[in-house]
Amino acid sequence: MENSATKKYLDILRNQYNGCSDYRIAQLLQVSKACVSRWSNGKVGLGDESAARLADLCGLDPVEVITELHLEKAKSRATRLYYEEVLKRTSTALVVVLPAFFFFLAPMVTGYATL
């Protein structure tokens, strides 16, 4: 089983933590080293709980990470279309929400004006 999304997110985590080892990834994600090895070798994909932890550690949207992993595993066309729609909606929401956050809410949180 080829899990390019799993490998992609493991690479992001490795880069975030300066090229860390499988052992360190196992510690960070609270799984066994053997589990990380299976992910790295493409034998299995990340589960939802590990994907959510990875997203949190890397500052990524867990919904997007988990959805992309499910999209890759989807067997039917209908299921793939469903996860593609979820990804599209998630991306659209981020495009709308993040600028609004930085413009309107950041000054309240940080005490600094955005202009």
Side-chain angles (χ1 to χ4, degrees):
M1 168 189 281
E2 179 64 29
N3 290 300
S4 60
T6 293
K7 289 181 180 183
K8 170 184 142 181
Y9 287 115
L10 287 174
D11 287 345
I12 290 171
L13 182 63
R14 283 184 209 285
N15 289 335
Q16 188 88 13
Y17 287 84
N18 301 317
C20 62
S21 66
D22 283 359
Y23 177 75
R24 181 67 179 131
I25 289 174
Q27 289 178 320
L28 290 167
L29 297 180
Q30 302 170 11
V31 297
S32 69
K33 185 182 174 298
C35 187
V36 175
S37 179
R38 286 191 300 273
W39 294 335
S40 296
N41 293 326
K43 294 183 181 184
V44 296
L46 281 162
D48 291 351
E49 188 175 334
S50 296
R53 280 194 191 111
L54 185 148
D56 186 49
L57 290 167
C58 294
L60 302 170
D61 177 13
V63 173
E64 191 171 329
V65 172
I66 292 168
T67 302
E68 189 174 342
L69 291 164
H70 280 272
L71 173 61
E72 189 170 77
K73 295 175 194 173
K75 298 200 185 314
S76 73
R77 183 174 186 275
T79 303
R80 281 192 300 279
L81 290 172
Y82 170 78
Y83 285 119
E84 286 171 357
E85 183 64 26
V86 172
L87 275 176
K88 187 169 73 173
R89 289 181 186 187
T90 302
S91 298
T92 303
L94 288 175
V95 168
V96 172
V97 171
L98 285 179
F101 170 78
F102 286 112
F103 188 77
F104 295 108
L105 299 177
M108 290 184 272
V109 173
T110 64
Y112 295 105
T114 55
L115 299 175

